[in-house]
Amino acid sequence: MAIAARDFRELRLESMSRTFGSINALKGVTLSVRRGEFIALLGPSGCGKSTALNCLAGLLTLSGGSVWLDTTRIDHLPPEARGFGMVFQNYALFPHMSVRRNIGFGLNMHGIAKDKIERKVDEALSIVRLGDQGDKLPGQLSGGQQQRVAIARAIVIEPPLVLMDEPLSNLDAKLRLEMRAEIRRIHELIGSATIYVTHDQEEALSLADRIVVMRAGEVRQVGTPEELYLRPAHADVAEFMGYRNQLRVRATRADKLIHVNVAGANLPATPVDAVNEGEVVAAIRPDDLAVSATGSIAATVESAQYHGHSFYCSGRIADGTELYFQSDRRVSKGETVRLTADPGRVLVYSRATA
């Protein structure tokens, strides 16, 4: 395919900030993105991830800091001069224009010759596998097809960077899975960098080369999917990465190991930071807390949901704390089960850094 991202080495965000009155939506965000990287901005609603994307796109001005594409500062440029592709949550297609005209709109606005526009649109349609849909209106397409048109429109201008703002949130579960694979395939095919906003940790883990976890306008951790999944740096990052059980417990040291006391049960654990004896936060994923006859934690089952290969359950332990766990067998409400976890999957954070 002739469509390829314009060459660059690095996009740099340097202390990027944005305020809305007294609200600090972004607080000194610093990040480097290399050509060809797929970066996911991950966090809950209101964490600043979409604000960061809109500042990058030029849809919002910065309150402080700068944005650089190699040696060129670009944060003062209008959106059209930055040359980035943008894929919106609601597709933002023109309903009265054909698929071909929607895709070629940006090229036409830049005064590209008609024959070149037609060639580029054909290439973009082929990349997103919509070669036979070019003469239809957006309303005649499925949601997944409309999203492909939006992606084609973003990549046809051969941008150095493609920005995607929760592009799959309006699709059903099956289409989301299909489009994940398509987005990654297209990213690799054209060689651009992609910055992808999502609140879905599974989406971020499956798509990204690196994940940027944000909270309250700040970057909390940057790492590979494996690093974020296995070793979140902070308890709040762990919670967002699926460590739903967040327990305020006491830690002790014995035989050079950290142990945490969970409702009277002694559980070996792994410290993430410089944990001393005393009050700590222990984080455990539900799928790492399993039913076992030899488990040290007794829990009374309150609910059990069948998820195909196992049951996702909640239960109460002796001190009244609710725990979420997984069971390979059916368990019943009111039943007492014993729970255990591998010490390497019980992460302990000091209260000071949690």
Side-chain angles (χ1 to χ4, degrees):
M1 291 295 171
I3 288 179
R6 293 200 303 279
D7 193 28
F8 78 103
R9 295 184 303 278
E10 185 182 53
L11 172 79
R12 297 193 317 281
L13 318 182
E14 296 185 352
S15 300
M16 191 170 74
S17 64
R18 171 70 194 193
T19 60
F20 296 94
S22 61
I23 298 172
N24 292 323
L26 290 179
K27 304 172 186 176
V29 172
T30 296
L31 179 70
S32 294
V33 180
R34 299 180 297 273
R35 187 180 193 273
E37 265 198 303
F38 197 116
I39 301 293
L41 301 185
L42 176 67
S45 296
C47 72
K49 56 189 186 295
S50 290
T51 300
L53 202 75
N54 287 328
C55 286
L56 270 177
L59 301 176
L60 287 173
T61 57
L62 296 185
S63 302
S66 57
V67 180
W68 298 78
L69 195 62
D70 291 332
T71 59
T72 303
R73 184 171 177 175
I74 64 170
D75 53 271
H76 63 286
L77 298 176
E80 63 275 12
R82 301 187 188 196
F84 297 160
M86 186 84 181
V87 181
F88 297 94
Q89 182 176 349
N90 62 356
Y91 317 142
L93 301 176
F94 298 109
H96 63 288
M97 289 186 181
S98 69
V99 166
R100 295 186 63 87
R101 288 182 63 202
N102 265 283
I103 295 172
F105 182 80
L107 295 173
N108 189 58
M109 292 295 290
H110 282 87
I112 306 299
K114 185 177 179 181
D115 59 337
K116 187 174 182 180
I117 292 176
E118 290 179 355
R119 185 172 71 252
K120 290 293 184 185
V121 169
D122 284 340
E123 292 167 3
L125 281 167
S126 178
I127 288 172
V128 300
R129 299 174 178 173
L130 288 176
D132 58 346
Q133 306 293 320
D135 294 327
K136 291 185 177 180
L137 294 173
Q140 296 174 295
L141 303 180
S142 67
Q145 288 174 323
Q146 289 184 48
Q147 191 57 274
R148 289 170 189 258
V149 175
I151 293 170
R153 183 180 58 190
I155 67 173
V156 76
I157 62 173
E158 300 183 302
L161 180 68
V162 176
L163 307 173
M164 296 190 173
D165 191 2
E166 306 215 36
L168 306 184
S169 60
N170 291 331
L171 303 180
D172 63 36
K174 180 176 181 293
L175 273 177
R176 282 201 301 272
L177 287 174
E178 291 175 0
M179 285 306 301
R180 272 190 217 166
E182 280 297 281
I183 286 171
R184 184 70 206 198
R185 178 186 68 82
I186 293 166
H187 164 82
E188 293 175 352
L189 185 63
I190 68 173
S192 67
T194 299
I195 298 182
Y196 185 103
V197 163
T198 181
H199 64 272
D200 186 326
Q201 51 126 328
E202 184 179 333
E203 210 169 85
L205 289 169
S206 66
L207 280 170
D209 298 312
R210 286 190 298 152
I211 298 172
V212 179
V213 179
M214 298 186 66
R215 180 189 181 194
E218 297 179 315
V219 172
R220 293 293 281 162
Q221 187 174 356
V222 181
T224 66
E226 292 84 359
E227 289 168 344
L228 268 295
Y229 186 87
L230 296 174
R231 190 58 63 94
H234 306 281
D236 61 284
V237 176
E239 184 175 22
F240 200 77
M241 295 305 298
Y243 289 77
R244 192 174 181 187
N245 296 302
Q246 298 261 324
L247 310 174
R248 291 184 173 270
V249 294
R250 290 193 63 82
T252 57
R253 284 192 176 272
D255 301 324
K256 298 182 180 180
L257 296 175
I258 283 285
H259 294 255
V260 293
N261 188 295
V262 180
N266 191 38
L267 204 62
T270 299
V272 175
D273 49 21
V275 173
N276 295 312
E277 293 190 347
E279 299 295 320
V280 298
V281 175
I284 315 171
R285 287 180 178 275
D287 48 344
D288 290 327
L289 193 57
V291 174
S292 170
T294 59
S296 58
I297 304 172
T300 302
V301 177
E302 291 195 337
S303 69
Q305 302 171 8
Y306 183 54
H307 282 198
H309 63 284
S310 62
F311 293 84
Y312 187 92
C313 312
S314 69
R316 295 280 174 184
I317 56 178
D319 65 0
T321 300
E322 185 175 25
L323 287 182
Y324 302 92
F325 60 94
Q326 192 165 291
S327 175
D328 292 333
R329 65 171 179 85
R330 180 182 292 278
V331 294
S332 303
K333 184 176 181 179
E335 178 183 351
T336 297
V337 296
R338 304 200 71 84
L339 304 174
T340 188
D342 186 293
R345 305 305 301 136
V346 181
L347 304 185
V348 180
Y349 300 86
S350 66
R351 290 283 183 92
T353 60

